Structure formats: structure tokens, C-alpha cells
Amino acid sequence: MRLPRKRRTYRTSSTDATAGPEQTEGPDLAEGLDRAEGPEPARRSTGRAESPRRAGRKTRRLRVVDLPRRGRRGWRRWMPSWKLVSGLFLLFSSTLVGLFAVVYSRVQIPDPHDSARRQATVYYWADGSRMVSVGDVNRQDVTLSQVPESVQHAVIAAENEDFYTDSGVSVTGIGRAAVNIVKGKETQGGSTLTQQYVKNTYLSQDQTVQRKVKELFLSLKVSNQRPKAEIFEGYLNTSWFGRDAYGVQAASYAYYGIPAKDLNPSQGALLAAVLKGAESFDPSLSAGNRQRAEDRWSWILDRQVKTGSMSAEERAKYTDFPEPKPPVKPTSQAGQTGYLVDIANKYLKSRSGITDKDLARGGYSIHTTFEKDKESALTKAVERVRAERLDPKKRAEDEYVQVGAASIRPEDGAIVAVYGGSDAIEHFTNNADTSGVPAASAFKPFVYAAALEQELGGARPPVETPVPEPVNPRASVTPPASEHLRSALVDSEHIPFVEAGKKIGLEKVKDLAVASGLREESMAKLEPTFSIGTSTPSAVRLASAYTTFINKGQATEPYSVTKVERSGTAVDGFGRPKPRRAMSPDTAAIVGAALRHVGWNAVGPPTDQRTYVPYWAGKTGPNDRMNSAWFIGTTPELSTSVAMFRTKPDVTQLLPMQGVGGPDSERGSTLPPLIWKAYNEAVVPAPPVTAPPGTASPVPGG
């Protein structure tokens, strides 16, 4: 039998303002209170108890993020618990994995690039007409079995030693590249062979985060779906080796004239070295390149020993550097065209970061400063003087003679014409833009200018300030202490310049020469002979530096490209270079006056209005013993330098100039002025003839 439930009584909370009498709780009310499972209900100020439903609402609710944390004080209240951290990490990781899986499943391996669809790179003359189109892809595919194992080992040791076991990607390499792209910095290496193959075969070369992400997923997919041997074969057939060569077969012919199957381990190590960047590691391009190539070649052979793909005994056989053959230009770049393309490429690479690999990939429109009529006239002038004055069959001294020349517009520094050699296909070195030929007496005007700067105080207004007229526009007054240098310059004497260099300091002479436009790297050691021209500037740089004297002491960087476009979009960085102050206007005027007399002595007095004489000129003479002959003639229209020297294949030193052109040629120094005169008479009208300061005979520019 069920007993009736005992009734119980309760009082209202002691916090109530008015305590009432005891209340009796019936069964129904008790059950409701039991269900609430909360503290005793408090009465409202009206004296009535809260309803059970309202009391239930005051129970604690579970928070998703326990911040600030209960039971903690101070900074600990805001420290997340390990449960929260691990939960968020798991949520983020699962989301990332899910997203990765979705993207990976949707990525499809596209068709390989079609080499036939590659666009040509077109170069234009200054007048907008087409100069040359460069676009043939030099590539010949071979199977992996046709590539010697030693060559394969060299490439893997140099580029990706764990290629056969990796996942196909280097996450750290991609992350580093992506960060650098966002920061606007150059991208760094670190890609696997698979990534490089994917980039070469399926993607563009654009350095963007989007392309890097695409490269990551494609590389993973290719690595999972293609055998490693197939990937490696594709990599060897699509990689850029320089010298317009794509793939190991084309590279083998370009560097050694043999098929890839005949490469020995030493030659293979060099080809693996140039994969890092032919612009920096092709040993034929410069002395610096050769040193870098030799160091990396040796490192790759040592690396193969370390990775176990070559024995130490075999490594010991390869101690002589495997010298490649000289590069060969395509037939479309025969004559002077190859030299023009070379100068344009050097300039645009220095201004925009475009590489040889980018250029070989094609699609660029490159507008140059080269003028067709002047280029033709300069070539004809050189060929004419060579034919008239040099006879290798009669005189042994006339063999191996080389000529380099460059013509620049003083107004803005534009290179309008160059002569780089007999033929860019047969003679690859660009004589107009090479370093290695001593300037000799043609360097002395910069010593004279440095002495004047010191004597006159060298006041130089900022470049932004309008250049004032010199105190002595006709330079009729020369400071007494520098008068002996003026005479020594005209008479091609050496001792006064050696003494002047010691007095003013060779460092100051070098600084002024570099400020005028000569390259720092072409400067010789600061020894006493420095002042008489042991430095080896190029014809382009010497022609440019002489414009400083006609431009009232301001120098302008020589340039050869005015505009570059790719797929209709302009590439930045090709505005005209801004002039800079190199010397004071007075110094430029005084040196210029002396150079007028040098030009007069070299070209001869004018016989009528049609005979052209330079306003400013520098030259070598019979007293020079540096195996070079120079003439630089500068007018308001053109500054043109002509260099003559002798080189023999496999001989590092320049050959003597004594007897070149006959016994009365003054060590060949009479020939460059003849080339200059023939060129200028063809392209520049004769100026009015007047008398120079201090003379009764007429000469222009007085």
C-alpha cells in the first residue's frame, strides 16, 4: 500500500524584504522543484516565489570557447586550454587536408607545351623596321638509355640527389619562393627535378604565387602517376643549357660537337654545372664565368663520390677542365646582327632581370636604338680601311688584326652603331663591348680632368640643377699647374701623366673615370702605369665617357633598348637614363680644348668645307707600348671610338702592333682615325670650319 507523501514546509529567502508566514508545499509543487534541480527559489519583491520554469533558466550553459576561463585569475584567464588548442588544430588540419584532397583530385595533367607554338623574339631598328627574328627552338629529344649513366649521376648529384625517393616536391623550396614573390624579391632555387620538369613542360615561367601552387599539385600528381625514369628523361630533354640549346642532346652538340651518348663523365659534369644558369656558368662568356664553371664542375665530381655514384679512383682521373668549344650564333645573326643582338640583350637583362632562358622562350618585341644607315656606314668604313691598309698575305704583322667600334649619340647616350668583328657567326666575341684591350693614351684625358678638378676646386652642382656655362667657354685659359699636362696630352707624352697621377692620387683618377662612364671592373691596378692607360674599357664605354667633355661635364649611361613588350604588355625599366655630374663645366671645357688639337693632329687640317675634323678626340700614338691602337672622335652629333688590336686563338696575350699596316703606321695608330673619318663623312654633314684657340689655321669647334 502506498503511503501518502509527507508534506514539508519552507520559508522564503532571508533576503526578502518582508518575510511571510510558513508555506505548505503540496505534492505537485514539490515535484516541480525537484525537476528544477537548482537552489531554492527566491521570492520576488512582491513576496511570491519564482516559477520553476524561470528558475531552470538560471542554470549554467556550456560555452564553446572557454575564454575568459573560469577558476583562473590574471593573465591565466586568457590562456586557452590544451583542449581548445588541440581542438582548433584538428579542425584546421582536417579542413586543410580536405581542401588539399579536393584540389588534388581536380588537377589534371595538361598536354605538354608544343615547341612549334613558341613565339619568336623580334628585334627592331630605331626606325621601327624589323632587324631580326630569333625563334627557332634547338631541341632534339633522346631516350634515357642514350644518356650515359655518368651524365645522369652528375645531374642528380648537382640538382636533386634524392630524386628517386622523394615525393616530387620540395615544400620548403616552394614556400621560400612564394614568400620572396610576395616580398618582391628574386626567387631562389630548391625545386626538385620533378618540379623543374613540370615547369618546363606544362607551365609558364611566370614567377607568381598562383603558378607556384599549380606547380606543387602538378608535381605531386606527375610523381604519383609517372615513373621516375620517365620524369627524368623528360627533364633532360626540356631543360635549358644555354647557347640556345634545350635538352641534353642539343647541349652536347652546342658545347662539345658530339651526341649525348658520347659524353664522358667530365663533360657531363660541366653540362650539369651550366644547368644552374648558363649566363653565369658558360665558361666561354667571361673569365668570371670560367672560374665559376670550373669550381662547380669540380664540386659536382666530388659530390658524385660523396653520394656513391662515382669511385674516388675514377674521380682522380678528371683533373683537367673539359674546355667546351666556342659558342656559335645562328645564321640569322650573321654579320653585325649578332653583335647588335648581344648588346641589346646585355642591356635589357641588366635593366629588367630578363634572362637568356626567358629570351630563348620567345615572345618579346625589342625596340633598339640602332640606326640602320649608321650601322651600314660603320661596317663599310672598317672593311674599306682593312682592304686598303692591311695585307696579311704580304705582311705577317697584318694577321690576326681585330677591330671594334661603337658610335653613340652624345645628346642622350643612345648606341646607334657598333662593329663587333668580321662576322658574329665566325667570331663570337663582341669587339665593341669586350674588356681586355688597354686604352693606353686614350685614357689620359681623365687624368688631365682629375688634375684640373683638384686645381679648380671641382665645384659640382647637383644633377637636378641647370648646368651653368663654364667660366671659360672657349677654354682659352688653362691653370698654370696643368699646362704641362695639356702639352703632354697633345704630344702623347707619358712621364707628366705618371707624375700627375702620383700627385693627385690614383684613386681620384679612377673615381673620375668611373663617374664619366667607364666600368669599375675594367679599371687596372692602381700602379704608376695606371695613369698612362693600363685599364681596359670597351669601345662602347670609351665612346660614352668622351661625351662628358662635350656635355659640359655631365655623363649619361649608354643604352641600346627603348622599349620591350611581351604579348602586347610593356616591360618596365626602359626609360632614358638620367645624366649625372662627373666633372665641373670648366674642367670639361679645358680638356675639350686640348682634345681638339689631338683630333687635328690625327685627322689632319681641313682643306675645304667638306673635310671633317672632330671637335674632341683622343688617341694612342707611337709612344704607346700596350699592343692596342685607339681613336675616339666626338662631335655634337656622334661620339665614335675605334679600337684595333691583334689576337690569336689559344693565345691569352695580345700580339704586338709593331708593323701593322706597314712601317710608317706608328704601331697601327694611324689606322683607327682613318676608319673614324670614313664613317663620319658618310653619316654626318661637314661642320663650319673655324680656327681653334691659339691657332691661325681653321678647325671646327673653336
Side-chain angles (χ1 to χ4, degrees), residues 121-177:
T121 289
V122 182
Y123 297 80
Y124 296 90
W125 294 102
D127 64 3
S129 60
R130 178 176 294 203
M131 181 170 70
V132 65
S133 176
V134 180
D136 294 335
V137 177
N138 181 17
R139 174 178 163 186
Q140 305 162 43
D141 289 354
V142 292
T143 63
L144 196 58
S145 62
Q146 293 175 289
V147 181
E149 288 190 1
S150 61
V151 179
Q152 298 181 38
H153 295 324
V155 172
I156 289 176
E159 296 290 315
N160 187 183
E161 65 179 76
D162 56 352
F163 165 71
Y164 280 104
T165 58
D166 66 21
S167 63
V169 299
S170 170
V171 177
T172 57
I174 289 179
R176 182 171 59 247

Side-chain angles (χ1 to χ4, degrees), residues 52 59 70 153 156 219-220 237 270 274 329 333 392 412 419 469-470 499 512 532 539 574 582-583 620 652 661 702:
T59 60
R70 293 189 179 92
H153 295 324
I156 289 176
S219 298
L220 286 171
N237 282 322
L270 177 63
V274 298
K329 286 284 186 183
Q333 298 184 42
D412 60 356
Y419 182 87
E469 286 295 321
E499 293 175 348
L512 185 138
I532 57 175
F574 293 97
M583 63 186 73
T620 55
T652 56

Side-chain angles (χ1 to χ4, degrees), residues 89-217:
F89 176 77
L90 290 175
L91 177 64
F92 174 77
S93 300
S94 59
T95 302
L96 193 62
V97 170
L99 180 63
F100 188 93
V102 170
V103 175
Y104 180 84
S105 64
R106 292 184 178 180
V107 168
Q108 300 297 322
I109 300 176
D111 293 331
H113 290 317
D114 183 359
S115 296
R117 290 201 299 267
R118 294 182 186 270
Q119 298 179 21
T121 289
V122 182
Y123 297 80
Y124 296 90
W125 294 102
D127 64 3
S129 60
R130 178 176 294 203
M131 181 170 70
V132 65
S133 176
V134 180
D136 294 335
V137 177
N138 181 17
R139 174 178 163 186
Q140 305 162 43
D141 289 354
V142 292
T143 63
L144 196 58
S145 62
Q146 293 175 289
V147 181
E149 288 190 1
S150 61
V151 179
Q152 298 181 38
H153 295 324
V155 172
I156 289 176
E159 296 290 315
N160 187 183
E161 65 179 76
D162 56 352
F163 165 71
Y164 280 104
T165 58
D166 66 21
S167 63
V169 299
S170 170
V171 177
T172 57
I174 289 179
R176 182 171 59 247
V179 170
N180 287 337
I181 290 170
V182 171
K183 291 182 177 180
K185 298 181 179 179
E186 291 186 9
T187 56
Q188 300 175 355
S191 297
T192 65
L193 292 183
T194 304
Q195 288 174 247
Q196 295 179 52
Y197 165 68
V198 165
K199 182 171 62 175
N200 294 339
T201 309
Y202 304 112
L203 302 175
S204 71
Q205 302 297 314
D206 297 334
Q207 298 292 347
T208 62
V209 174
Q210 182 180 7
R211 206 272 295 156
K212 279 290 182 184
V213 172
K214 201 170 184 180
E215 176 188 308
L216 168 66
F217 285 98

Side-chain angles (χ1 to χ4, degrees), residues 29-72:
L29 180 59
E31 289 177 6
L33 291 173
D34 289 341
R35 283 194 300 271
E37 296 180 352
E40 284 190 347
R43 288 185 179 274
R44 295 177 179 269
S45 59
T46 58
R48 291 181 301 174
E50 290 184 347
S51 69
R53 182 175 298 174
R54 186 177 300 277
R57 289 176 185 163
K58 291 189 177 182
T59 60
R60 292 182 180 178
R61 295 181 179 179
L62 179 63
R63 294 188 294 176
V64 176
V65 178
D66 186 19
L67 285 177
R69 297 175 64 187
R70 293 189 179 92
R72 300 289 191 272

Side-chain angles (χ1 to χ4, degrees), residues 117 342 529 695:
R117 290 201 299 267
D342 175 62
T529 54
T695 67

Side-chain angles (χ1 to χ4, degrees), residues 562-629:
T562 58
K563 183 174 65 173
V564 177
E565 293 179 330
R566 192 170 195 277
S567 302
T569 302
V571 179
D572 293 334
F574 293 97
R576 285 188 178 185
K578 295 182 179 180
R580 61 184 181 276
R581 173 66 57 191
M583 63 186 73
S584 69
D586 281 334
T587 293
I590 294 169
V591 176
L595 292 178
R596 293 191 192 112
H597 289 274
V598 174
W600 175 279
N601 292 342
V603 179
T607 56
D608 56 41
Q609 294 283 350
R610 293 184 300 277
T611 303
Y612 200 88
V613 179
Y615 280 35
W616 287 265
K619 67 181 291 290
T620 55
N623 295 330
D624 287 293
R625 297 290 188 272
M626 295 182 188
N627 297 335
S628 59

